[in-house]
Amino acid sequence: MPDASLSLRTTRRRMLYALAAAGGLTAYRGPAARAAVPQPARAPRPPAAAPATHRPDPAKAREIRAEFVHAWEGYKRFAWGHDEVRPVSGGHSEFFARGHPVGLSIVEALDTHYVMELDDEVELCTGWITEHLDFDIDADFQVFETTIRLVGGLLAGYLATGRKRLLNRCTDLADRLLPAFTKSPTGMPYRHVNLRTGRVSGTTLPVAEIGTHMLEFGLLSELTGDRRYGRAAKRAVRAVVQRRSSLDLLATTLDVESGQWTDRQGSAVDPPVDSFYEYLWGAWVMFGDEECRDWFRMFDAALRRHQAERVGDLLWFKHVDFRTGALLNRRQSSLAVAILPVGGDNALAADYYRSWTAVLDKYAVIPEAIDYARLTVLDAGNQLRPEYANCAFQLYWQTGDPYYRTTAWRYFENLRKHHRVPGGYTVVTDVTRRPMPRGDHCPAYVFAENFKWLYLTFADTPRFDYAHGYLSTEGKVLRGLRPPPA
């Protein structure tokens, strides 16, 4: 995938609202063994919030699970061992480096299989990873995507299965990524690193790519006792925070060598900044990092003060000059909807969710980007984005309001109607046309996110701790996996 689309992928993304993790995690090791994954001592965390009372809907959960299996069978049939499937043509492609597959869809799918109780697939994926996945690759890998997808996926896989080999693979990969941080004069990572040689490249990065590493690297430091990973991720975040404007706003892109901004656009909760804010709050909830909590609150107040606006009764966030607050445009990305449920302001998050529900109602499938002043389309494609389903899950479990299940089900039905093909699920190229024309690509994150968010919304699976679980921006369960009952 070209660099431009990589920066737009800042995804995804979505975590459970301000819930603290409690106690040690137990893990599933297959039919014959059930044991606890050892957990290091952790810093004090915010008190856990009780999830809203709800009733599971097993029939809908089964339908969602069946569609995930349909997508997965297409990947297995056409692309096993490769990164992504082309479900229309029956082909495959690699995400990071041409000619160097790393089984990205396999890693992305592992904890989804687990929470859906697809244990044969858990074993199949774990077996492929332990037997075939090798990161001694003479190629440049994009650091941000590698962290949230491969590091995060291997961590979630280890927590699900207890297989130490998955943690070893994860540690090896993180060690290969560290030069991107340690060779930088500012501590903000270079965009690419050669996994074999450690050569770094790419000096201009959007904020999300700089600051979306703390959960994965922080958890790896907890599990291994090696503080290098968490320290590197935190140093990168601090470097961004120090470069905020006098309005406490951030622009979009930094030169990681000079430390200078390369633009003036404050894009608020839109990519390519979105998940930076998620991970500030996540570091507080996961690790008790009070400094990150205070940074989040500072930026949150600035976003409300300078960028929030209403068009009619719909809430949006305008793009402004980050130094002056002057309006630049009213573009909004569909990736932004999942950001606001973190931080605890359900009223604001609910308002923004309803804004995107208006878009869903108008187009059936949410376009990549809109001009929110008129709800007109700026980018008519849909790359199987999971953010709306992610937000519905978070708000349902925080509030218990059935509205979020109703709208999540509508999202699912439209997903099935417009994206399903005999070989799985594929992207749509124009949501304004009927029938919607389809492309030939199933992004690997579909196996980590869309169906998992929907399934968790309806299933009440015993394998996930809804009161204390936590998911990354890529939908990886980094805390709260439960073992099967004895």
Side-chain angles (χ1 to χ4, degrees):
M1 184 177 292
D3 288 352
S5 59
L6 279 171
S7 85
L8 283 176
R9 247 290 289 144
T10 60
T11 95
R12 348 236 110 11
R13 313 333 221 173
R14 5 263 176 276
M15 298 179 286
L16 282 175
Y17 148 66
L19 299 179
L25 285 171
T26 52
Y28 168 59
R29 299 189 184 215
R34 296 175 178 88
V37 175
Q39 298 291 297
R42 300 188 180 100
R45 293 181 181 81
T53 302
H54 77 291
R55 292 180 180 274
D57 191 331
K60 285 185 169 63
R62 283 193 296 271
E63 287 192 53
I64 293 163
R65 185 177 186 262
E67 292 308 306
F68 171 77
V69 170
H70 172 72
W72 178 247
E73 289 299 322
Y75 169 76
K76 286 202 301 182
R77 183 161 65 251
F78 298 128
W80 181 252
H82 292 277
D83 287 354
E84 295 181 323
V85 62
R86 297 192 178 277
V88 176
S89 63
H92 53 74
S93 59
E94 314 311 345
F95 179 81
F96 291 101
R98 181 176 299 178
H100 296 285
V102 290
L104 178 60
S105 290
I106 296 172
V107 178
E108 296 259 42
L110 182 50
D111 70 327
T112 308
H113 289 308
Y114 180 79
V115 299
M116 291 186 180
E117 302 178 74
L118 298 167
D119 292 339
D120 288 345
E121 303 306 316
V122 171
E123 292 299 313
L124 184 66
C125 291
T126 303
W128 187 89
I129 291 168
T130 56
E131 293 173 18
H132 300 288
L133 186 56
D134 184 355
F135 293 117
D136 184 27
I137 299 171
D138 187 12
D140 292 343
F141 273 50
Q142 205 258 14
V143 176
F144 162 73
E145 295 284 352
T146 304
T147 296
I148 65 171
R149 307 181 81 169
L150 291 174
V151 174
L154 291 169
L155 284 170
Y158 169 66
L159 296 174
T161 66
R163 302 285 173 82
K164 189 66 181 294
R165 287 187 179 182
L166 299 185
L167 183 61
N168 292 342
R169 294 282 193 284
C170 182
T171 304
D172 172 64
L173 176 57
D175 287 341
R176 296 173 186 273
L177 295 177
L178 274 180
F181 296 83
T182 59
K183 291 183 178 181
S184 168
T186 63
M188 295 184 286
Y190 289 91
R191 192 156 201 244
H192 297 95
V193 63
N194 183 293
L195 293 188
R196 176 174 292 171
T197 68
R199 184 182 68 85
V200 295
S201 60
T203 62
T204 304
L205 273 73
V207 168
E209 293 192 20
I210 296 169
T212 309
H213 305 274
M214 282 193 296
L215 299 191
E216 294 83 4
F217 277 25
L219 179 58
L220 184 59
S221 284
E222 279 194 343
L223 294 172
T224 63
D226 188 337
R227 297 177 59 195
R228 291 179 303 149
Y229 313 111
R231 277 200 306 255
K234 179 68 178 291
R235 183 184 176 212
V237 169
R238 180 177 285 108
V240 174
V241 174
Q242 290 171 344
R243 288 164 172 81
R244 68 190 184 276
S245 74
S246 61
L247 301 180
D248 289 332
L249 296 178
L250 302 173
T252 300
T253 308
L254 280 157
D255 184 303
V256 302
E257 290 186 334
S258 70
Q260 299 298 308
W261 292 104
T262 63
D263 72 321
R264 297 172 65 91
Q265 179 165 257
S267 56
V269 293
D270 266 356
V273 180
D274 52 347
S275 54
F276 176 84
Y277 301 117
E278 284 184 80
Y279 273 41
L280 289 178
W281 189 260
W284 158 238
V285 177
M286 286 277 287
F287 311 121
D289 190 320
E290 296 181 0
E291 189 173 35
C292 284
R293 176 203 61 193
D294 294 343
W295 288 338
F296 175 89
R297 289 174 174 167
M298 174 186 68
F299 287 125
D300 180 58
L303 294 176
R304 295 164 187 263
R305 187 163 54 248
H306 299 290
Q307 297 184 262
E309 71 169 349
R310 292 185 181 273
V311 177
D313 61 350
L314 300 181
L315 171 69
W316 302 101
F317 291 86
K318 58 188 174 182
H319 292 196
V320 302
D321 185 305
F322 86 119
R323 292 193 177 99
T324 68
L327 174 68
L328 296 179
N329 65 69
R330 290 186 168 91
R331 179 185 179 93
Q332 207 91 124
S333 166
S334 63
L335 276 68
V337 65
I339 303 304
L340 291 184
V342 303
D345 189 335
N346 284 339
L348 191 75
D351 274 358
Y352 196 51
Y353 181 84
R354 288 178 184 272
S355 298
W356 283 105
T357 301
V359 181
L360 180 71
D361 291 344
K362 183 173 183 178
Y363 296 105
V365 171
I366 296 174
E368 291 289 301
I370 62 168
D371 178 340
Y372 67 74
R374 297 179 297 276
L375 289 193
T376 54
V377 172
L378 297 177
D379 182 342
N382 179 283
Q383 299 295 313
L384 281 163
R385 298 298 185 189
E387 282 71 27
Y388 185 84
N390 168 5
C391 191
F393 166 73
Q394 295 176 80
L395 289 173
Y396 178 71
W397 281 95
Q398 291 163 30
T399 67
D401 187 338
Y403 169 77
Y404 299 110
R405 267 191 172 171
T406 300
T407 49
W409 186 249
R410 190 185 314 154
Y411 165 91
F412 169 71
E413 289 184 310
N414 291 338
L415 179 75
R416 181 166 54 185
K417 178 179 180 180
H418 297 290
H419 290 274
R420 194 183 202 271
V421 293
Y425 274 72
T426 194
V427 300
V428 161
T429 60
D430 190 342
V431 305
T432 67
R433 294 171 56 190
R434 297 294 184 274
M436 292 185 191
R438 294 163 175 156
D440 184 19
H441 177 219
C442 181
Y445 54 76
V446 169
F447 299 112
E449 298 197 69
N450 306 59
F451 296 105
K452 183 190 289 163
W453 293 118
L454 292 164
Y455 185 77
L456 290 175
T457 302
F458 291 94
D460 195 18
T461 171
R463 294 194 176 181
F464 179 69
D465 182 350
Y466 286 89
H468 303 105
Y470 212 86
L471 282 77
S472 75
T473 195
E474 187 70 6
K476 306 298 190 300
V477 185
L478 299 184
R479 191 151 289 154
L481 291 174
R482 288 172 166 168

